[in-house]
Amino acid sequence: MSRLIFLCLLLCSCGGEKDTGRHPDLLLLTVATKETEGFQRFQRSAQVFNYTVKVLGLGDRWCGGNQTQAAGGGQKVRLLKMALQQFTERDDLIILFTESYDVIFASGPAEILKKFKQAKSQVVFSAETLIYPDRRLDSKYPPVQEGKRYLGSGGFIGYLSGIRKLVDEWDGSDHESDQLFYTKIFLDPAKKEKFNISIDHRCRIFQNLYGALDEVVLKFESGKVRLRNMVYDTLPVVIHGNGPTKVQLNYLGNYIPDSWTFEMGCTVCEENRRSLAGLVEDSFPSLLISIFLRQLTPFVSQLFQWLQNLHYPKKRIQLFIHNRELYHQSLVENFVKEYGSTYARTKVVGAREKVGTAAARNMGMDMCRQDSDCEYYFSLDAEISLNNLDTLKILMEQNKSIIAPMVSHPGKMWSNFWSALGVDGFYARSEDYVDIVQWQRIGVWNVPYVSGVYLVKGSTLRSELNRRDLYHSSKMDPDMAFCYNVRKEGVFMFLTNREEFGNILSLDNYQTNHLHNDLWQIFSNPKDWEDKYIHENYTMILHGRLLETPCPDVYWFPIFTEAACDELIEEMEHFGQWSSGGNMDSRLQGGYENIPTIDIHMNQIGYEREWQKFLQEYIVPITQTVYPGYYTKAQFELAFVVRYKPDEQPSLMPHHDASTFTLNIALNSVGTDYEGGGCNFLRYNCSITAPRKGWALLHPGRLTHYHEGLPTTKGIRYIAVSFLDP
Ligand SMILES: *[C@@H]1O[C@H](CO)[C@@H](O)[C@H](O)[C@H]1NC(C)=O
Ligand SMILES: *[C@@H]1O[C@H](CO)[C@@H](O)[C@H](O)[C@H]1NC(C)=O
Ligand SMILES: *[C@@H]1O[C@H](CO)[C@@H](O)[C@H](O)[C@H]1NC(C)=O
Ligand SMILES: *[C@@H]1O[C@H](CO)[C@@H](O)[C@H](O)[C@H]1NC(C)=O
Ligand SMILES: *[C@@H]1O[C@H](CO)[C@@H](O)[C@H](O)[C@H]1NC(C)=O
Ligand SMILES: *[C@@H]1O[C@H](CO)[C@@H](O)[C@H](O)[C@H]1NC(C)=O
């Protein structure tokens, strides 16, 4: 035997405070009839500290009252009495009895034993702030010098002999109150003395949270997390979320026992995971995705694109789409027509069917609930813009009953979860909310409310959540009703911010008077606007790559996506009021155009502000790279889309632009859409004859870059031109 082990044995047998291995002197007893998530959390925290646990009642029918109504609990006393009668353990064994669904441990057996022994009693009960269940007993309670007066039956500790004698007194029925039973013994002076009972007035061992939330704070210290009772300056070991404090216990359980620390971050996020790596397509979990289009929403095309590109076999996905807006109907129908058959099943409830949100949410959820093969239900509202193609896999691998990916409004604090509940059941903010939204704390968080997007296990829908109508509850909106009902069933809702998933769209100012209304979203939803319209390699330019110089001082780079080009052309054609190409032009201040083209100005389609914003956000950074020292305000005299057509206006004669510099974006493809075309800079005898769709030419205007538009010989060519000045 090595010296180290010998030393340890010595220490442990002397009752040293070090917890190593199981503690022979302490047995933890609890009652649970179902292995709820709360129970699993309890088990885990007991395991962390090596408690020896015995669970009574598993699989029994619970008849000691129900969760919303805390009275009852006689079943617990009966089970304890029965169990102790059969015990053959030594009488000096110490028994710790606690609840399980709403209890976590903050420390181990050695600390509890030490504190218990200091209490110099046979049995020590937890203390309560509020008297329950019989207020009339108040006057019978002995006064205390410091601390809480009332007995709580949710946690007690004592010698086996003492507790056995105590519970031998029980002859009540299962639905009677255990708390009242113990209270009456405690308040009977003869019995109190006989059983040698005391109360943990200052919460040295037990912290009941009901009525005491203001007393406690999380204490982070050198990699450890404890709960501190500030009123009594104690560090309780058994934390009990009794009464209506379950949500707060869930919050504390995100940290205790050391589940998340400043030093280590999340220490439990890799536990209990289900790996999907290496699965063949056919063995991916079967899944139902519900998409809810409840109002006019921008970027719905992007949502369908995300769906199409998801890293998940479509054969394993069923789709349910609820659309309440006629405006979106054709987009939905086109999607289903084009891609519906690649999915396992597709069901659409359209705007004309007038199904409300709660009913539709129930309908989608029920489709999964009733299909025993449906392993997961994924609910997605269209205003949640997801861009992570692994979202589903990431959520499934976390292996929770309910889990939501965190999404928020870019640059703002609004998100899709609440971290706390106010007394009225509405929104409240915990101290970690901002850190979670801003990824300062990363992990998987047990929260009281999620919305917009979440994944639910089918098995949970068919057991704890088998109620058909989760989206109704009195006057609550469907999302609040859902979370309320889920909480009521003791099912945990988790939120993960371990990855970036996407963001929440702003639905304000979505005007639908244009053909492609997303083009106008550059102010309201700049991030999604960029994703949809700015070329994926744009940022490479800013790092000096992909920036070509086909002619002296002419820069050529990718700027627009296919969607931007196509929608801008279609928008112009939809508007249709092309200029005549003559010199007289009433749209101009002087009414006269030297070098007329057949075009439509941005201001004619109400796109001036948006275009200016685009120039500022995406062109100015480039001018600063290519023309160092020159600071443009991105103001423009003119910005327009030009149409070149052989039988209309095929080309443009040599000219100087009335600009400091000019931006010229090719909106369609040579070879496919037209033939010919291009631009010739005469001073340099340099032509660009193969314009690339979505690429821009940037060149100085007035003085140096005398140029001409080369003839388009077939088809139609479109370019977007801006004269920037200064
Ligand atoms: C629990 O026991 C294991 C060995 O069985 C030991 O490695 C671990 O440190 C113990 N945990 C605590 C908190 O004492
Ligand atoms: C639980 O208690 C509440 C309040 O008394 C009662 O309305 C409800 O019916 C009970 N539920 C069950 C399942 O016993
Ligand atoms: C329990 O018994 C011990 C030893 O007899 C005594 O000192 C102590 O005061 C008793 N405590 C209570 C709460 O009766
Ligand atoms: C997923 O979680 C369930 C419930 O907690 C558990 O029984 C199962 O073992 C977990 N799966 C894996 C692969 O760990
Ligand atoms: C962006 O650049 C990558 C790598 O150079 C290239 O493979 C890809 O096709 C480019 N994307 C587009 C849309 O041109
Ligand atoms: C312009 O370049 C072409 C070849 O690229 C050449 O044939 C032509 O002579 C040049 N013109 C002038 C004016 O230099």
Side-chain angles (χ1 to χ4, degrees), residues 452-490:
V453 52
Y454 42 85
L455 183 78
V456 187
K457 279 187 186 172
S459 57
T460 307
L461 292 181
R462 291 183 285 274
S463 52
E464 288 92 336
L465 302 182
N466 61 358
R467 261 187 54 190
R468 283 291 154 81
D469 188 5
L470 290 176
Y471 290 99
H472 281 110
S473 185
S474 63
K475 290 201 170 107
M476 287 181 216
D477 74 44
D479 297 332
M480 277 183 71
F482 172 71
C483 295
Y484 171 80
N485 285 319
V486 166
R487 291 196 305 270
K488 213 168 72 177
E489 299 304 332

Side-chain angles (χ1 to χ4, degrees), residues 500-517:
E500 292 199 28
F501 297 98
N503 55 277
I504 307 179
L505 293 169
S506 162
L507 302 187
D508 302 341
N509 312 316
Y510 193 54
Q511 308 287 334
T512 54
N513 46 337
H514 305 287
L515 179 65
H516 292 295
N517 295 288

Side-chain angles (χ1 to χ4, degrees), residues 292-344:
F292 298 99
L293 267 156
R294 295 176 299 159
Q295 54 212 308
L296 291 174
T297 309
F299 300 111
V300 175
S301 59
Q302 297 301 96
L303 180 145
F304 284 128
Q305 197 166 356
W306 171 82
L307 193 62
Q308 273 306 103
N309 295 338
L310 257 184
H311 298 157
Y312 208 90
K314 299 201 175 30
K315 284 184 288 184
R316 305 296 291 163
I317 300 177
Q318 300 185 46
L319 278 185
F320 172 78
I321 301 173
H322 176 232
N323 171 31
R324 294 189 74 174
E325 276 295 341
L326 277 176
Y327 172 75
H328 293 305
Q329 199 69 11
S330 61
L331 195 63
V332 172
E333 280 164 8
N334 289 342
F335 174 81
V336 171
K337 204 186 293 166
E338 198 160 346
Y339 303 108
S341 60
T342 59
Y343 293 87

